[in-house]
Amino acid sequence: MFLRIDPDNGLAIYDQVVRQMKFAIAGEALKPGDLVPSVRELARDLAINPNTVSRAYLQLQHDGVLETVRGLGLSVSAGAAKRCRAEGGKLIRERLAQVFDEARLSHLDPDDLRKMVSTELESALKRKD
Amino acid sequence: MFLRIDPDNGLAIYDQVVRQMKFAIAGEALKPGDLVPSVRELARDLAINPNTVSRAYLQLQHDGVLETVRGLGLSVSAGAAKRCRAEGGKLIRERLAQVFDEARLSHLDPDDLRKMVSTELESALKRKD
Amino acid sequence: MFLRIDPDNGLAIYDQVVRQMKFAIAGEALKPGDLVPSVRELARDLAINPNTVSRAYLQLQHDGVLETVRGLGLSVSAGAAKRCRAEGGKLIRERLAQVFDEARLSHLDPDDLRKMVSTELESALKRKD
Amino acid sequence: MFLRIDPDNGLAIYDQVVRQMKFAIAGEALKPGDLVPSVRELARDLAINPNTVSRAYLQLQHDGVLETVRGLGLSVSAGAAKRCRAEGGKLIRERLAQVFDEARLSHLDPDDLRKMVSTELESALKRKD
DNA sequence: GTGGTCTAGACCACC
DNA sequence: GTGGTCTAGACCACG
């Protein structure tokens, strides 16, 4: 599965699902018309409650990214790819800004901070699980 | 005041207070023996609830960073500077790791991501409010 | 076909089929002894699932409106016309009461509401599709 | 309380809450800045589950009608009155159209239908509970 | 099997 | 006290 949730992320679980689903669509891991995993299946895979998945899917419908196909499930809506590509970068930039804003308040030496950021980024990029 | 809270940070408000207080001590804006602002004063300055400040101070006492001075208030404890310096970088590194971990899942091109991170970091470092 | 289903009606699809079938019998579009469309045919015509039609027909049998004719299908039962005429008005009155009850809570001016109702009614009566 | 829910309405309970809350705001029973009843209080009053109220309030926030006031509750947002007045009539007209559309299919004599509608409407308007 | 809705009850952060 | 989030489990309509 293309989603990975981290309970200590600071973000609510349903929000992580929403964001990563948008990432997946922006990155074309999911294409318009594709059915997303069923509520129950995704809940089982991520070891979270179906209701939490349901809430994430509700949000995604509300955002115009998913739409119901009666009796079949939920599919990626037509305009979703474009919308998600536009939004994807913004979601990440917002979070980066928040974290860097906090980091700024630590009064670390800017160069130390740059090094720390770079180190963590590269180590995250290497992690391929 | 040296603290700045952001309700949409993802972190609980009391946690932001705790972290930034530790940063302030690590950066010697507050030195051992200094009295920290009273619960009411800080609450007023940050426009948050005194109860929230209270919880943050409780946490800081529990972490051995603050200690009560009877009749005077709370002061930065003796060993706090060292402890906070050690902890400061870790707090930030952890959050960086979380965010980069999410960013990795966006399947952005690594170079685009590096650029985005660098842009946001520099823009945060410039912000001096 | 004399049936028209609207997925956003508030009523379950099978219920819409049941009700409109009764209307058709009350209005003598279907007479006792007539064979109703087969489950598959009706499902195809209305673009709904055969299972849903099946459930509607089951309900209609249970209500004494349809009866099986072995090897042929389902036919309108003898007493159905009378029963449906009696029931038809009631079904509509009940729904009207529900909707007007909600409308009442909107605190619209009664005269405005009367006008709105009248306008919508006439416009519905004109629609002949 | 200004809300009245009917489980057999055809509409989901949370949807009835959403609609009637909008009606209440349109009719100025609730004004911008007012706090709406707490999730728990409304749930108790309507004898429904707090989660169901929560869901309705979530929808209303999403529709820009309510906004959270941290630790205090939910308040009617500034632009809500105007938005709700605009939407109120539409919500009712839509439902009327659905019901009349069904009524049309009953092939009742139009004059009989008009009389029936008028009777039900007046009887609903008289009901003052 | 699917999603939609509802209930019941829990913990958390915040006022 | 408040809302926000999560879990657990139920029933229904639909395919």
Side-chain angles (χ1 to χ4, degrees):
Chain A
M1 220 318 147
F2 36 87
L3 302 187
R4 202 154 291 273
I5 71 110
D6 167 12
D8 302 329
N9 198 318
L11 271 52
I13 293 179
Y14 84 95
D15 204 19
Q16 298 184 43
V17 173
V18 168
R19 294 166 70 100
Q20 293 186 27
M21 199 64 84
K22 286 177 179 173
F23 293 153
I25 293 167
E28 308 214 317
L30 285 171
K31 299 203 181 68
D34 286 359
L35 287 179
V36 296
S38 82
V39 170
R40 291 163 173 80
E41 183 189 353
L42 188 54
R44 203 187 49 237
D45 286 2
L46 301 180
I48 61 180
N49 190 285
N51 230 319
T52 302
V53 177
S54 201
R55 178 173 197 169
Y57 280 1
L58 192 67
Q59 173 81 37
L60 286 164
Q61 285 179 272
H62 168 290
D63 291 349
V65 171
L66 296 185
E67 50 197 29
T68 64
V69 185
R70 264 208 342 243
L72 272 183
L74 292 158
S75 77
V76 178
S77 66
K82 195 172 141 200
R83 197 177 294 120
C84 290
R85 265 194 301 276
E87 201 179 354
K90 196 174 121 257
L91 290 176
I92 297 190
R93 263 196 304 275
E94 278 174 5
R95 264 206 109 189
L96 288 173
Q98 288 173 348
V99 176
F100 291 154
D101 228 55
E102 193 200 41
R104 176 172 56 89
L105 292 164
S106 75
H107 297 295
L108 276 178
D109 175 82
D111 277 331
D112 289 353
L113 182 55
R114 284 191 192 92
K115 251 177 256 168
M116 184 186 296
V117 166
S118 161
T119 308
E120 289 299 328
L121 176 55
E122 296 309 323
S123 112
L125 286 172
K126 255 178 227 133
R127 230 166 348 203
K128 290 279 176 206
D129 51 346
Chain B
M1 223 313 148
F2 36 87
L3 302 188
R4 200 155 293 272
I5 73 109
D6 167 11
D8 302 328
N9 200 318
L11 270 51
I13 292 181
Y14 86 97
D15 204 19
Q16 297 183 43
V17 174
V18 168
R19 294 164 70 100
Q20 294 185 26
M21 198 68 82
K22 287 177 178 173
F23 294 154
I25 293 166
E28 310 212 318
L30 285 171
K31 299 203 180 66
D34 287 359
L35 287 178
V36 296
S38 77
V39 168
R40 290 174 187 188
E41 183 189 352
L42 188 55
R44 201 189 53 237
D45 286 1
L46 301 181
I48 62 180
N49 192 287
N51 230 317
T52 304
V53 176
S54 207
R55 178 177 305 199
Y57 281 0
L58 203 64
Q59 173 78 39
L60 286 163
Q61 286 178 269
H62 180 275
D63 290 350
V65 171
L66 296 184
E67 55 193 21
T68 63
V69 183
R70 279 232 309 265
L72 275 181
L74 291 160
S75 75
V76 178
S77 65
K82 193 171 145 200
R83 197 177 294 121
C84 289
R85 265 195 300 278
E87 202 178 356
K90 192 171 125 264
L91 291 177
I92 296 192
R93 262 197 304 275
E94 278 174 3
R95 262 207 111 190
L96 287 174
Q98 287 175 347
V99 175
F100 291 153
D101 227 53
E102 192 200 40
R104 176 172 57 88
L105 291 165
S106 74
H107 296 297
L108 275 178
D109 175 85
D111 278 330
D112 288 352
L113 183 55
R114 284 189 192 93
K115 251 176 254 169
M116 186 185 294
V117 165
S118 159
T119 307
E120 289 298 328
L121 176 54
E122 296 308 324
S123 112
L125 286 172
K126 255 177 228 137
R127 226 165 346 196
K128 289 281 177 205
D129 50 347
Chain C
M1 222 317 147
F2 35 86
L3 302 188
R4 201 154 291 273
I5 72 110
D6 168 10
D8 301 329
N9 199 316
L11 270 50
I13 291 182
Y14 87 97
D15 203 20
Q16 297 184 43
V17 173
V18 168
R19 294 164 71 100
Q20 294 185 26
M21 198 66 85
K22 287 176 178 173
F23 294 154
I25 293 167
E28 308 212 319
L30 284 172
K31 299 202 181 66
D34 285 359
L35 288 179
V36 297
S38 78
V39 168
R40 291 175 186 187
E41 184 190 351
L42 188 55
R44 200 189 53 236
D45 286 1
L46 301 180
I48 61 181
N49 192 287
N51 231 317
T52 304
V53 176
S54 206
R55 177 178 305 199
Y57 280 1
L58 204 63
Q59 173 79 38
L60 286 164
Q61 286 177 270
H62 180 274
D63 291 351
V65 171
L66 296 185
E67 54 192 22
T68 63
V69 184
R70 279 231 309 265
L72 275 182
L74 290 160
S75 76
V76 178
S77 65
K82 193 173 143 198
R83 196 177 295 119
C84 290
R85 265 193 302 276
E87 201 180 356
K90 195 174 121 259
L91 291 177
I92 297 192
R93 263 197 304 274
E94 279 174 4
R95 263 207 109 190
L96 287 173
Q98 287 174 348
V99 176
F100 291 153
D101 227 54
E102 193 202 38
R104 177 172 57 88
L105 292 164
S106 74
H107 296 296
L108 275 179
D109 175 82
D111 278 331
D112 288 353
L113 182 55
R114 285 189 191 94
K115 252 177 253 167
M116 185 185 294
V117 165
S118 161
T119 307
E120 289 298 328
L121 176 54
E122 297 308 323
S123 112
L125 286 172
K126 255 178 228 136
R127 226 163 349 193
K128 288 282 176 202
D129 50 346
Chain D
M1 221 315 145
F2 36 86
L3 302 187
R4 201 154 291 274
I5 72 110
D6 167 11
D8 302 330
N9 199 318
L11 270 53
I13 293 178
Y14 84 95
D15 203 19
Q16 298 183 42
V17 174
V18 168
R19 295 165 70 99
Q20 294 186 27
M21 199 64 85
K22 286 177 179 173
F23 294 153
I25 293 167
E28 308 214 319
L30 286 171
K31 299 203 181 65
D34 286 359
L35 287 179
V36 296
S38 81
V39 170
R40 292 163 172 83
E41 182 189 353
L42 188 55
R44 202 186 51 237
D45 286 2
L46 301 180
I48 60 180
N49 190 285
N51 230 319
T52 303
V53 177
S54 201
R55 179 173 196 168
Y57 280 0
L58 192 67
Q59 173 79 37
L60 287 164
Q61 284 178 272
H62 168 287
D63 291 349
V65 171
L66 296 185
E67 50 198 27
T68 65
V69 185
R70 265 209 340 244
L72 271 183
L74 292 158
S75 77
V76 178
S77 66
K82 194 172 142 201
R83 198 178 292 120
C84 289
R85 265 194 302 276
E87 201 179 355
K90 195 173 121 259
L91 290 177
I92 296 190
R93 263 197 302 276
E94 277 174 6
R95 263 206 112 191
L96 288 173
Q98 288 173 347
V99 176
F100 291 154
D101 228 54
E102 192 201 40
R104 177 173 57 90
L105 292 164
S106 75
H107 297 296
L108 275 178
D109 175 81
D111 278 330
D112 288 354
L113 182 55
R114 285 190 190 94
K115 249 176 258 168
M116 185 186 295
V117 165
S118 160
T119 307
E120 289 298 329
L121 176 53
E122 296 309 323
S123 112
L125 286 172
K126 257 178 226 133
R127 227 166 348 203
K128 290 280 175 206
D129 50 347

PDB file of all heavy atoms in Angstrom, chain C residues 44-59:
ATOM      1  N   ARG C  44     -32.358  -3.073 -16.375  1.00  0.00           N
ATOM      2  CA  ARG C  44     -31.620  -2.481 -17.489  1.00  0.00           C
ATOM      3  C   ARG C  44     -32.222  -1.123 -17.848  1.00  0.00           C
ATOM      4  O   ARG C  44     -31.515  -0.135 -18.009  1.00  0.00           O
ATOM      5  CB  ARG C  44     -31.661  -3.428 -18.688  1.00  0.00           C
ATOM      6  CG  ARG C  44     -30.574  -3.185 -19.708  1.00  0.00           C
ATOM      7  CD  ARG C  44     -30.814  -4.015 -20.966  1.00  0.00           C
ATOM      8  NE  ARG C  44     -32.157  -3.788 -21.493  1.00  0.00           N
ATOM      9  CZ  ARG C  44     -33.054  -4.755 -21.709  1.00  0.00           C
ATOM     10  NH1 ARG C  44     -32.758  -6.014 -21.443  1.00  0.00           N
ATOM     11  NH2 ARG C  44     -34.243  -4.461 -22.189  1.00  0.00           N
ATOM     12  N   ASP C  45     -33.555  -1.074 -17.939  1.00  0.00           N
ATOM     13  CA  ASP C  45     -34.222   0.170 -18.326  1.00  0.00           C
ATOM     14  C   ASP C  45     -33.948   1.309 -17.343  1.00  0.00           C
ATOM     15  O   ASP C  45     -33.771   2.453 -17.743  1.00  0.00           O
ATOM     16  CB  ASP C  45     -35.747  -0.047 -18.410  1.00  0.00           C
ATOM     17  CG  ASP C  45     -36.125  -0.838 -19.651  1.00  0.00           C
ATOM     18  OD1 ASP C  45     -35.204  -1.230 -20.411  1.00  0.00           O
ATOM     19  OD2 ASP C  45     -37.326  -1.070 -19.862  1.00  0.00           O
ATOM     20  N   LEU C  46     -33.943   0.982 -16.062  1.00  0.00           N
ATOM     21  CA  LEU C  46     -33.771   2.032 -15.057  1.00  0.00           C
ATOM     22  C   LEU C  46     -32.307   2.225 -14.677  1.00  0.00           C
ATOM     23  O   LEU C  46     -31.986   3.095 -13.862  1.00  0.00           O
ATOM     24  CB  LEU C  46     -34.585   1.696 -13.796  1.00  0.00           C
ATOM     25  CG  LEU C  46     -36.088   1.528 -13.987  1.00  0.00           C
ATOM     26  CD1 LEU C  46     -36.764   1.211 -12.660  1.00  0.00           C
ATOM     27  CD2 LEU C  46     -36.701   2.790 -14.585  1.00  0.00           C
ATOM     28  N   ALA C  47     -31.447   1.392 -15.270  1.00  0.00           N
ATOM     29  CA  ALA C  47     -30.015   1.480 -14.969  1.00  0.00           C
ATOM     30  C   ALA C  47     -29.755   1.302 -13.481  1.00  0.00           C
ATOM     31  O   ALA C  47     -28.981   2.038 -12.872  1.00  0.00           O
ATOM     32  CB  ALA C  47     -29.423   2.795 -15.472  1.00  0.00           C
ATOM     33  N   ILE C  48     -30.450   0.353 -12.885  1.00  0.00           N
ATOM     34  CA  ILE C  48     -30.188   0.021 -11.499  1.00  0.00           C
ATOM     35  C   ILE C  48     -29.884  -1.466 -11.412  1.00  0.00           C
ATOM     36  O   ILE C  48     -29.970  -2.195 -12.400  1.00  0.00           O
ATOM     37  CB  ILE C  48     -31.382   0.373 -10.572  1.00  0.00           C
ATOM     38  CG1 ILE C  48     -32.623  -0.419 -10.984  1.00  0.00           C
ATOM     39  CG2 ILE C  48     -31.646   1.862 -10.623  1.00  0.00           C
ATOM     40  CD1 ILE C  48     -33.831  -0.114 -10.133  1.00  0.00           C
ATOM     41  N   ASN C  49     -29.541  -1.902 -10.232  1.00  0.00           N
ATOM     42  CA  ASN C  49     -29.109  -3.282 -10.067  1.00  0.00           C
ATOM     43  C   ASN C  49     -30.314  -4.228 -10.000  1.00  0.00           C
ATOM     44  O   ASN C  49     -31.294  -3.944  -9.313  1.00  0.00           O
ATOM     45  CB  ASN C  49     -28.282  -3.395  -8.797  1.00  0.00           C
ATOM     46  CG  ASN C  49     -27.575  -4.725  -8.713  1.00  0.00           C
ATOM     47  OD1 ASN C  49     -28.219  -5.736  -8.456  1.00  0.00           O
ATOM     48  ND2 ASN C  49     -26.272  -4.731  -8.949  1.00  0.00           N
ATOM     49  N   PRO C  50     -30.237  -5.362 -10.705  1.00  0.00           N
ATOM     50  CA  PRO C  50     -31.340  -6.320 -10.690  1.00  0.00           C
ATOM     51  C   PRO C  50     -31.770  -6.688  -9.280  1.00  0.00           C
ATOM     52  O   PRO C  50     -32.950  -6.894  -9.015  1.00  0.00           O
ATOM     53  CB  PRO C  50     -30.745  -7.543 -11.402  1.00  0.00           C
ATOM     54  CG  PRO C  50     -29.681  -6.999 -12.273  1.00  0.00           C
ATOM     55  CD  PRO C  50     -29.112  -5.805 -11.559  1.00  0.00           C
ATOM     56  N   ASN C  51     -30.776  -6.727  -8.403  1.00  0.00           N
ATOM     57  CA  ASN C  51     -31.075  -7.046  -7.018  1.00  0.00           C
ATOM     58  C   ASN C  51     -32.039  -6.051  -6.394  1.00  0.00           C
ATOM     59  O   ASN C  51     -32.876  -6.404  -5.566  1.00  0.00           O
ATOM     60  CB  ASN C  51     -29.773  -7.033  -6.215  1.00  0.00           C
ATOM     61  CG  ASN C  51     -29.610  -8.294  -5.423  1.00  0.00           C
ATOM     62  OD1 ASN C  51     -30.587  -8.742  -4.819  1.00  0.00           O
ATOM     63  ND2 ASN C  51     -28.430  -8.855  -5.430  1.00  0.00           N
ATOM     64  N   THR C  52     -31.883  -4.823  -6.780  1.00  0.00           N
ATOM     65  CA  THR C  52     -32.751  -3.768  -6.245  1.00  0.00           C
ATOM     66  C   THR C  52     -34.174  -3.932  -6.763  1.00  0.00           C
ATOM     67  O   THR C  52     -35.151  -3.794  -6.015  1.00  0.00           O
ATOM     68  CB  THR C  52     -32.189  -2.384  -6.637  1.00  0.00           C
ATOM     69  OG1 THR C  52     -30.858  -2.275  -6.177  1.00  0.00           O
ATOM     70  CG2 THR C  52     -33.043  -1.274  -6.047  1.00  0.00           C
ATOM     71  N   VAL C  53     -34.286  -4.257  -8.053  1.00  0.00           N
ATOM     72  CA  VAL C  53     -35.620  -4.512  -8.617  1.00  0.00           C
ATOM     73  C   VAL C  53     -36.237  -5.704  -7.908  1.00  0.00           C
ATOM     74  O   VAL C  53     -37.408  -5.691  -7.520  1.00  0.00           O
ATOM     75  CB  VAL C  53     -35.523  -4.807 -10.128  1.00  0.00           C
ATOM     76  CG1 VAL C  53     -36.894  -5.162 -10.685  1.00  0.00           C
ATOM     77  CG2 VAL C  53     -34.936  -3.608 -10.862  1.00  0.00           C
ATOM     78  N   SER C  54     -35.409  -6.701  -7.722  1.00  0.00           N
ATOM     79  CA  SER C  54     -35.875  -7.912  -7.088  1.00  0.00           C
ATOM     80  C   SER C  54     -36.446  -7.619  -5.705  1.00  0.00           C
ATOM     81  O   SER C  54     -37.495  -8.136  -5.318  1.00  0.00           O
ATOM     82  CB  SER C  54     -34.696  -8.876  -6.971  1.00  0.00           C
ATOM     83  OG  SER C  54     -35.144 -10.192  -6.937  1.00  0.00           O
ATOM     84  N   ARG C  55     -35.768  -6.786  -4.992  1.00  0.00           N
ATOM     85  CA  ARG C  55     -36.247  -6.445  -3.659  1.00  0.00           C
ATOM     86  C   ARG C  55     -37.578  -5.698  -3.729  1.00  0.00           C
ATOM     87  O   ARG C  55     -38.479  -5.917  -2.916  1.00  0.00           O
ATOM     88  CB  ARG C  55     -35.213  -5.580  -2.938  1.00  0.00           C
ATOM     89  CG  ARG C  55     -35.682  -5.129  -1.586  1.00  0.00           C
ATOM     90  CD  ARG C  55     -34.631  -4.330  -0.867  1.00  0.00           C
ATOM     91  NE  ARG C  55     -33.377  -5.080  -0.765  1.00  0.00           N
ATOM     92  CZ  ARG C  55     -32.417  -4.788   0.110  1.00  0.00           C
ATOM     93  NH1 ARG C  55     -32.588  -3.774   0.948  1.00  0.00           N
ATOM     94  NH2 ARG C  55     -31.322  -5.469   0.143  1.00  0.00           N
ATOM     95  N   ALA C  56     -37.706  -4.830  -4.710  1.00  0.00           N
ATOM     96  CA  ALA C  56     -38.959  -4.093  -4.871  1.00  0.00           C
ATOM     97  C   ALA C  56     -40.092  -5.067  -5.181  1.00  0.00           C
ATOM     98  O   ALA C  56     -41.184  -4.996  -4.598  1.00  0.00           O
ATOM     99  CB  ALA C  56     -38.818  -3.062  -5.980  1.00  0.00           C
ATOM    100  N   TYR C  57     -39.851  -5.999  -6.092  1.00  0.00           N
ATOM    101  CA  TYR C  57     -40.891  -6.956  -6.464  1.00  0.00           C
ATOM    102  C   TYR C  57     -41.279  -7.827  -5.272  1.00  0.00           C
ATOM    103  O   TYR C  57     -42.447  -8.184  -5.088  1.00  0.00           O
ATOM    104  CB  TYR C  57     -40.403  -7.814  -7.642  1.00  0.00           C
ATOM    105  CG  TYR C  57     -40.528  -7.128  -8.989  1.00  0.00           C
ATOM    106  CD1 TYR C  57     -41.022  -5.832  -9.099  1.00  0.00           C
ATOM    107  CD2 TYR C  57     -40.171  -7.778 -10.171  1.00  0.00           C
ATOM    108  CE1 TYR C  57     -41.139  -5.200 -10.330  1.00  0.00           C
ATOM    109  CE2 TYR C  57     -40.289  -7.159 -11.405  1.00  0.00           C
ATOM    110  CZ  TYR C  57     -40.768  -5.865 -11.482  1.00  0.00           C
ATOM    111  OH  TYR C  57     -40.897  -5.255 -12.704  1.00  0.00           O
ATOM    112  N   LEU C  58     -40.274  -8.171  -4.484  1.00  0.00           N
ATOM    113  CA  LEU C  58     -40.552  -8.963  -3.292  1.00  0.00           C
ATOM    114  C   LEU C  58     -41.517  -8.211  -2.378  1.00  0.00           C
ATOM    115  O   LEU C  58     -42.494  -8.778  -1.854  1.00  0.00           O
ATOM    116  CB  LEU C  58     -39.225  -9.217  -2.556  1.00  0.00           C
ATOM    117  CG  LEU C  58     -39.151 -10.432  -1.634  1.00  0.00           C
ATOM    118  CD1 LEU C  58     -39.331 -11.703  -2.442  1.00  0.00           C
ATOM    119  CD2 LEU C  58     -37.815 -10.459  -0.892  1.00  0.00           C
ATOM    120  N   GLN C  59     -41.212  -6.934  -2.189  1.00  0.00           N
ATOM    121  CA  GLN C  59     -42.067  -6.092  -1.364  1.00  0.00           C
ATOM    122  C   GLN C  59     -43.489  -6.026  -1.930  1.00  0.00           C
ATOM    123  O   GLN C  59     -44.476  -6.105  -1.195  1.00  0.00           O
ATOM    124  CB  GLN C  59     -41.461  -4.685  -1.292  1.00  0.00           C
ATOM    125  CG  GLN C  59     -42.323  -3.639  -0.601  1.00  0.00           C
ATOM    126  CD  GLN C  59     -42.234  -3.744   0.898  1.00  0.00           C
ATOM    127  OE1 GLN C  59     -41.157  -4.016   1.428  1.00  0.00           O
ATOM    128  NE2 GLN C  59     -43.354  -3.565   1.591  1.00  0.00           N
TER     129      GLN C  59
END
